[in-house]
Amino acid sequence: MKWYAIHTQSGHENKLKQAIENLIKEKGMETFFGEIIVPEVEVEVKKDGKKKIQKKNLYPGYIFIQMEYTEDSWLLLKSVPFMRKPALIGEKRRHAGKGSFVEPKSVSEAEVAKIKQMIEEGGVSTVSKIMFEKGEMVLIKEGPFANFKAVIDDVKEGKEKLDVLVNIFGRSTPVELNFSQVEKVED
């Protein structure tokens, strides 16, 4: 068996894992599949002065599956909801003709071992989870635009980045910043 990465919509990783496990059991194909990993760690989130523990996905939009890649196992995966197309990373969109197909790129055992180690060592880290919204005013704390006020144009939650518009010489200039580089401006 080899490891493969499966692409799904971010936030649907556990749903995809559960759907695959259910279908494997339903079709009696347990011998073709091994472990399925959703790489998550626990993080301590601070929101509105309160702390709570949440799971954070190390690879949003991806799960890792150990399987014997055959036409039957590929067709089983292809029938599962919550998958993006192409489902397996490195999968070619067209297969090479009736009865034959091209195997997608597998993930090395060493890479999977690193992922498992990150999960085990993950422990609890602290993440400041300040919620930003488009149209909000923020103060830039560091970088070439330090002490400038800006308006949020787009929020990229998964990457913890913001696209902001900074008013320079009477013109709005787009700038990408990390969440940590700004603070909310209280009205």
Side-chain angles (χ1 to χ4, degrees), residues 99-160:
S100 66
F101 53 100
V102 180
E103 184 174 345
K105 186 174 180 354
S106 62
V107 179
S108 74
E109 289 286 342
E111 289 174 286
V112 173
K114 282 183 200 173
I115 292 167
K116 287 180 175 182
Q117 184 178 2
M118 287 190 313
I119 293 168
E120 288 173 22
E121 292 176 356
V124 177
S125 60
T126 302
V127 173
S128 178
K129 196 68 164 191
I130 300 169
M131 301 307 279
F132 293 102
E133 293 180 22
K134 184 175 180 171
E136 276 186 313
M137 182 71 70
V138 292
L139 177 67
I140 301 172
K141 298 188 301 186
E142 56 187 61
F145 299 103
N147 299 318
F148 277 76
K149 289 184 179 179
V151 176
I152 298 173
D153 190 43
D154 190 27
V155 180
K156 300 172 185 170
E157 296 256 349
K159 295 181 179 180
E160 293 193 358

Side-chain angles (χ1 to χ4, degrees), residues 54-65:
Q54 286 183 339
K55 289 195 179 245
K56 180 178 180 183
N57 198 321
L58 297 172
Y59 297 93
Y62 294 93
I63 70 169
F64 298 88
I65 186 167

Side-chain angles (χ1 to χ4, degrees), residues 26-176:
E26 180 184 311
K27 300 289 182 183
M29 294 185 66
E30 292 90 343
T31 58
F32 290 94
F33 294 91
E35 197 175 351
I36 302 174
I37 299 173
V38 176
E40 295 176 319
V41 293
E42 289 185 340
V43 293
E44 184 180 273
V45 177
K46 293 179 186 175
K47 184 177 174 185
D48 301 326
K50 298 177 183 172
K51 294 180 186 180
K52 68 178 188 176
I53 303 293
Q54 286 183 339
K55 289 195 179 245
K56 180 178 180 183
N57 198 321
L58 297 172
Y59 297 93
Y62 294 93
I63 70 169
F64 298 88
I65 186 167
Q66 187 182 36
M67 64 183 249
E68 186 178 320
Y69 191 81
T70 66
E71 190 166 8
D72 289 335
S73 62
W74 177 76
L75 288 172
L76 179 129
L77 285 180
K78 202 172 166 186
S79 70
V80 176
F82 310 113
M83 262 197 281
R84 294 253 166 119
K85 304 293 183 234
L88 295 171
I89 304 308
E91 175 185 348
K92 300 206 180 198
R93 287 198 180 262
R94 289 185 299 132
H95 286 323
K98 188 169 181 153
S100 66
F101 53 100
V102 180
E103 184 174 345
K105 186 174 180 354
S106 62
V107 179
S108 74
E109 289 286 342
E111 289 174 286
V112 173
K114 282 183 200 173
I115 292 167
K116 287 180 175 182
Q117 184 178 2
M118 287 190 313
I119 293 168
E120 288 173 22
E121 292 176 356
V124 177
S125 60
T126 302
V127 173
S128 178
K129 196 68 164 191
I130 300 169
M131 301 307 279
F132 293 102
E133 293 180 22
K134 184 175 180 171
E136 276 186 313
M137 182 71 70
V138 292
L139 177 67
I140 301 172
K141 298 188 301 186
E142 56 187 61
F145 299 103
N147 299 318
F148 277 76
K149 289 184 179 179
V151 176
I152 298 173
D153 190 43
D154 190 27
V155 180
K156 300 172 185 170
E157 296 256 349
K159 295 181 179 180
E160 293 193 358
K161 291 188 181 277
L162 299 170
D163 288 335
V164 298
L165 298 173
V166 181
N167 193 348
I168 303 170
F169 304 118
R171 296 182 67 194
S172 289
T173 304
V175 178
E176 184 179 73

